[in-house]
Amino acid sequence: MGLLNGFAAYGMWGLVPLFWPLLKPAGAVEILAHRMVWSLFFVAAALLVVRRWAWLGELLRQPRRLALVTVAAAVITVNWGVYIWSVNSGHVVEASLGYFINPLVTIAMGVLLLKERLRPVQWAAVGVGAAAVLVLTVGYGRPPWISLCLAFSFATYGLVKKKVNLGGVESLAAETAIQFLPALGYLLWLSAQGDSTFAAEGAGHAALLAATGIVTALPLVCFGAAAIRVPLSTLGLLQYLAPVFQFLLGVLYFKEAMPPERWAGFALVWLALTLLTWDALRTARRAARTLAAERNRPTMTTDTVSAVRQAQSVPAGPETDPLEARP
């Protein structure tokens, strides 16, 4: 059951490019505002059902954490907005690339900002990823700014969220609560200007705009069910399903062009991710063997503790915390 929930979560995240075009003629900013407003309603309803509100009072008493949540809300707003615009503007493949290179960007930020130390294979993966960006820059005739914006915004989001330390549903509730008033204000202004599509395009269109809240919240609920039943290493591998589905949709369904230089760039990205995944699995197996060897000892040695911590620090997929908000 846990594995099915994992497939459902990442499957929905991977197939979401099919949903955003249904919301036309609404523009990307209007869709984004509706997503913020309706997500709060659905997430608040979910928290009401499970009666998980104790975290809210604690968060409000900690201004520093509240400030970090505000930063996270701002960054994920950029991420959501760019993703919606890119899908509805015919850049699904380039958007999928952003989530392929996200783990590489996360590692690079860990080195630059947190002074983390990388193993040789991780350095090789980052180097191959950088070469891929250069090749894709040549292929597109410009830097793949959509991919880079999505990757860096999501990596920044993950970095901030590690410091906030809230669960996925709780964090989404806090962030959308911050987004709610600006988003609602924009929608009211749009309506006053006569440019809103919510009431002008019929009940079906209005229902689809309201469904943006479900599209945001439901995969998180499925993932939450999977996270408590499926090993982290399995979830790390499942995370690649979302950008794979997005890439396939871009090529096979939306018929986006893939000249040879773009294939070469994507091949380099996939090589970098293969190196990263192989290194992560190898390190995890090594830590498991060390733990097994130490199982009968009264206390763990310093080397064992170090090996376990090293395995836990390995990025397992396209984001820092798989419970955080997706495109």
Side-chain angles (χ1 to χ4, degrees):
M1 189 64 180
L3 197 58
L4 289 177
N5 277 305
F7 276 111
Y10 288 110
M12 283 185 279
W13 279 321
L15 296 176
V16 76
L18 295 173
F19 178 71
W20 303 125
L22 300 178
L23 304 181
K24 293 179 178 179
V29 179
E30 183 181 1
I31 296 171
L32 175 63
H34 276 286
R35 183 178 190 180
M36 294 173 181
V37 168
W38 294 108
S39 292
L40 179 60
F41 285 118
F42 284 103
V43 175
L47 289 173
L48 190 63
V49 169
V50 297
R51 298 180 180 178
R52 282 160 51 181
W53 293 104
W55 59 273
L56 182 57
E58 182 181 348
L59 178 63
L60 293 175
R61 290 191 296 270
Q62 298 178 332
R64 183 177 178 275
R65 289 183 75 199
L66 192 58
L68 288 172
V69 171
T70 304
V71 173
V75 174
I76 202 62
T77 296
V78 173
N79 184 274
W80 283 356
V82 171
Y83 188 83
I84 293 168
W85 176 86
S86 63
V87 169
N88 283 359
S89 300
H91 299 285
V92 177
V93 170
E94 191 175 350
S96 74
L97 176 64
Y99 293 100
F100 276 125
I101 66 176
N102 179 255
L104 303 172
V105 172
T106 299
I107 289 176
M109 290 180 67
V111 173
L112 296 174
L113 301 180
L114 304 179
K115 308 301 180 184
E116 294 179 353
R117 297 171 61 184
L118 300 187
R119 293 182 294 277
V121 176
Q122 290 176 310
W123 276 115
V126 172
V128 172
V133 171
L134 291 176
V135 171
L136 287 164
T137 297
V138 174
Y140 281 104
R142 56 170 175 78
W145 69 267
I146 293 173
S147 307
L148 294 174
C149 183
L150 290 173
F152 275 93
S153 61
F154 211 69
T156 303
Y157 178 77
L159 182 65
V160 174
K161 292 304 295 173
K162 280 182 70 71
K163 297 184 179 297
V164 174
N165 193 27
L166 270 179
V169 177
E170 290 88 347
S171 66
L172 184 61
E175 290 150 19
T176 51
I178 292 170
Q179 296 168 333
F180 179 80
L181 287 180
L184 182 62
Y186 174 77
L187 291 176
L188 292 175
W189 174 83
L190 202 65
S191 180
Q193 296 294 312
D195 295 327
S196 173
T197 66
F198 184 73
E201 297 293 327
H205 179 73
L208 284 172
L209 286 172
T212 55
I214 300 176
V215 169
T216 302
L218 186 58
L220 274 177
V221 173
C222 291
F223 188 89
I228 60 176
R229 298 178 177 89
V230 178
L232 184 61
S233 58
T234 303
L235 288 176
L237 295 176
L238 284 177
Q239 288 181 67
Y240 291 119
L241 286 177
V244 166
F245 285 167
Q246 293 165 17
F247 174 80
L248 292 175
L249 283 174
V251 174
L252 301 178
Y253 182 79
F254 292 102
K255 307 296 183 182
E256 294 185 17
M258 281 294 291
E261 56 270 22
R262 291 185 195 172
W263 280 112
F266 270 87
L268 287 173
V269 170
W270 294 330
L271 173 60
L273 293 178
T274 300
L275 290 172
L276 201 62
T277 303
W278 172 76
D279 182 68
L281 294 175
R282 182 187 63 168
T283 304
R285 284 196 297 266
R286 184 184 301 164
R289 287 195 298 267
T290 305
L291 279 175
E294 296 290 333
R295 185 174 300 165
N296 295 325
R297 296 189 183 184
T299 58
M300 290 196 300
T301 66
T302 302
D303 289 341
T304 303
V305 174
S306 177
V308 173
R309 287 178 177 172
Q310 184 183 42
Q312 291 174 339
S313 68
V314 175
E319 64 210 60
T320 303
D321 182 351
L323 260 176
E324 305 308 342
R326 275 292 195 152

